Amino acid sequence: MPANTDRYDSAVARYFEAWNAREPQARAKAVAAAWTADGTYTDPLADVTGHDGLTAVIAAAHEQFPGFAFRLAGRVDGHHDTARFSWELVNETDGSAPVAGSDVITLDADGRIVTVLGFLDRVPAGAA
C-alpha cells in the first residue's frame, strides 16, 4: 500500500507543480511531466484535451487570479488508478483562499494523469 500512496502523492505533486508554474516554458514542461499527451481536464468552467489545452486553462487561471497559488487541502486518497484530493487557491499576500475545489484523477501505468474531473466547492461571486 505505501507504494500506491507514493504514486498518488507524486502524481498530485506534479499536478500542483503544473498549476503553479507561472512562466510559459516551465508550465509546458510541468504539464508534459504530469499528464499524458492526450490527457483531459474537465470542471464546470473548462473541458480540454492535450497539453496545449491544459496549459491554456492553467494560464487563464493565472490571468484571472494573479499572485495566487494552488495548494493541497488535506490528504490525497486513492485506490487502483484513481485518486481524489481537495485544493485551495491561496492569495500569496494575505493567505486568503477564495476558491476551493476537489478533483478526481485517473493515472496511467507510469503514474501520469489521464483524466481530471474537477469540482468547484467555493467560488467568489463573478469569478465563474
Side-chain angles (χ1 to χ4, degrees):
M1 191 92 166
N4 284 343
T5 301
D6 291 345
R7 179 176 182 235
Y8 307 131
D9 289 339
S10 294
V12 172
R14 287 190 307 274
Y15 176 84
F16 282 113
E17 185 176 334
W19 276 99
N20 287 323
R22 293 199 169 113
E23 299 301 321
Q25 288 180 332
R27 184 179 306 128
K29 183 178 178 182
V31 164
W35 272 272
T36 60
D38 60 349
T40 64
Y41 177 87
T42 304
D43 73 13
L45 306 175
D47 186 9
V48 298
T49 300
H51 293 171
D52 290 343
L54 292 158
T55 56
V57 164
I58 293 169
H62 283 282
E63 288 173 18
Q64 187 172 6
F65 295 97
F68 283 74
F70 289 89
R71 75 172 177 206
L72 184 64
R75 64 180 195 86
V76 178
D77 183 31
H79 62 81
H80 297 84
D81 290 329
T82 305
R84 67 179 177 173
F85 55 94
S86 296
W87 53 266
E88 294 179 315
L89 184 59
V90 179
N91 182 318
E92 294 177 318
T93 302
D94 67 13
S96 64
V99 182
S102 300
D103 291 350
V104 176
I105 62 173
T106 336
L107 305 176
D108 72 359
D110 296 323
R112 291 176 63 208
I113 299 169
V114 177
T115 60
V116 176
L117 298 175
F119 297 86
L120 300 174
D121 302 326
R122 181 174 62 239
V123 180

